[in-house]
Amino acid sequence: MYQVFISGLPYTASENDVQSLFEDCGEILSIKLPRYQDSNRLLGYGHITFSDSEAIQKALALNGTQLGGRYIDVKEAKGTQPQKPNVPPPDCLTIFVKNLSYDLNADQIGDSFRPCGKVANVRMVYNTVTKNFKGFAYIDFEDHQSVIKALQMNGKKVHGRQVQVDFDVKKPKAGYRYQPKQVEQQNKYNKEYQEIQKKKIKKEKAVEKVKKIKNFAETQKQISAQRNKQQI
């Protein structure tokens, strides 16, 4: 495998940016750039696979080159880097969907993939500044066969846009948070929203119970005071 390891990449760079920089080195077979699951920004490193060793040498010569205002490091990859499998592992229950329409909500996304199997959760990804939907989402299913069926949706249109569908084996980042702003748009397929609603209802019932107890106590107090007046 003729592969180089690149690091120091700008977090806002894309696969196209990297390809433009290295395309003159030789035939590029693949570019693997890991991304943060919640923001879809680059982790800052990746691997490029070429078709021959001559391309590797040309790529190494680009060490220290600027890309997006940052100086990148280019090294020959040591050994065979672990690659994502071509088929989802048996325990995979999640798919990643890109190029979704920006005006969709979680219910619409979940309903679009419901024919593939029972949808357990839909995690939409939002811009951290504007809070607007970024056009991609993660869908969790309740069984593995649903993932297999959902992968067949790759290249098909969902609400007028041709989507890209792939399986995802990474767990959601601990920092992932449900967007309260979208409360009216996410309910059927959002576990966190459902939990919030349950807690809200439970709290409302508790407040109502306390209120009834206070009203009852106040009523009893008034009745007792009235009786005392009558006795006098």
Side-chain angles (χ1 to χ4, degrees), residues 70-113:
R70 298 188 66 177
Y71 293 98
I72 63 171
D73 293 321
V74 184
K75 300 177 181 178
E76 188 168 359
K78 296 181 179 180
T80 303
Q81 300 296 327
Q83 301 291 321
K84 181 178 178 180
N86 293 324
V87 295
D91 59 346
C92 178
L93 299 175
T94 305
I95 62 168
F96 175 63
V97 188
K98 294 197 297 184
N99 201 39
L100 289 163
S101 176
Y102 297 113
D103 59 358
L104 291 181
N105 59 50
D107 284 357
Q108 291 172 315
I109 295 172
D111 288 343
S112 298
F113 285 85

Side-chain angles (χ1 to χ4, degrees), residues 17-49:
D17 295 330
V18 175
Q19 181 166 346
S20 296
L21 181 61
F22 288 90
E23 61 185 359
D24 291 337
C25 298
E27 183 183 3
I28 297 175
L29 299 180
S30 68
I31 298 176
K32 302 292 184 179
L33 305 177
R35 296 176 178 272
Y36 287 106
Q37 195 178 71
D38 55 351
S39 66
N40 203 39
R41 288 158 66 93
L42 296 185
L43 290 173
Y45 63 88
H47 293 86
I48 304 176
T49 303

Side-chain angles (χ1 to χ4, degrees), residues 19-213:
Q19 181 166 346
S20 296
L21 181 61
F22 288 90
E23 61 185 359
D24 291 337
C25 298
E27 183 183 3
I28 297 175
L29 299 180
S30 68
I31 298 176
K32 302 292 184 179
L33 305 177
R35 296 176 178 272
Y36 287 106
Q37 195 178 71
D38 55 351
S39 66
N40 203 39
R41 288 158 66 93
L42 296 185
L43 290 173
Y45 63 88
H47 293 86
I48 304 176
T49 303
F50 293 95
S51 60
D52 55 58
S53 58
E54 184 179 350
I56 291 286
Q57 298 307 313
K58 291 181 180 179
L60 293 175
L62 292 176
N63 182 49
T65 302
Q66 265 199 353
L67 178 64
R70 298 188 66 177
Y71 293 98
I72 63 171
D73 293 321
V74 184
K75 300 177 181 178
E76 188 168 359
K78 296 181 179 180
T80 303
Q81 300 296 327
Q83 301 291 321
K84 181 178 178 180
N86 293 324
V87 295
D91 59 346
C92 178
L93 299 175
T94 305
I95 62 168
F96 175 63
V97 188
K98 294 197 297 184
N99 201 39
L100 289 163
S101 176
Y102 297 113
D103 59 358
L104 291 181
N105 59 50
D107 284 357
Q108 291 172 315
I109 295 172
D111 288 343
S112 298
F113 285 85
R114 182 66 182 83
C116 301
K118 192 168 183 180
V119 176
N121 198 26
V122 174
R123 290 175 278 126
M124 300 172 67
V125 181
Y126 298 88
N127 184 292
T128 55
V129 177
T130 65
K131 307 302 181 184
N132 294 326
F133 177 45
K134 298 184 69 173
F136 60 95
Y138 296 86
I139 302 177
D140 301 321
F141 290 95
E142 294 199 355
D143 62 79
H144 179 66
Q145 285 304 313
S146 299
V147 172
I148 302 298
K149 292 179 181 179
L151 291 176
Q152 297 174 15
M153 294 278 288
N154 184 48
K156 295 185 178 180
K157 286 189 176 182
V158 172
H159 287 269
R161 297 192 68 170
Q162 190 175 31
V163 298
Q164 298 174 38
V165 183
D166 198 0
F167 65 92
D168 188 77
V169 294
K170 301 185 296 293
K171 291 184 179 180
K173 288 185 64 181
Y176 179 84
R177 291 292 181 270
Y178 161 74
Q179 297 291 327
K181 180 181 177 182
Q182 306 297 323
V183 64
E184 74 284 356
Q185 297 182 350
Q186 303 189 38
N187 45 44
K188 282 196 297 186
Y189 304 111
N190 194 298
K191 289 182 178 179
E192 188 172 354
Y193 171 76
Q194 293 167 6
E195 289 301 316
I196 290 174
Q197 289 300 97
K198 287 179 182 179
K199 290 179 181 179
K200 182 179 178 181
I201 293 173
K202 187 177 180 180
K203 184 177 180 179
E204 288 175 349
K205 287 183 177 180
V207 171
E208 187 64 28
K209 185 176 181 180
V210 170
K211 191 180 293 184
K212 286 182 178 179
I213 292 174

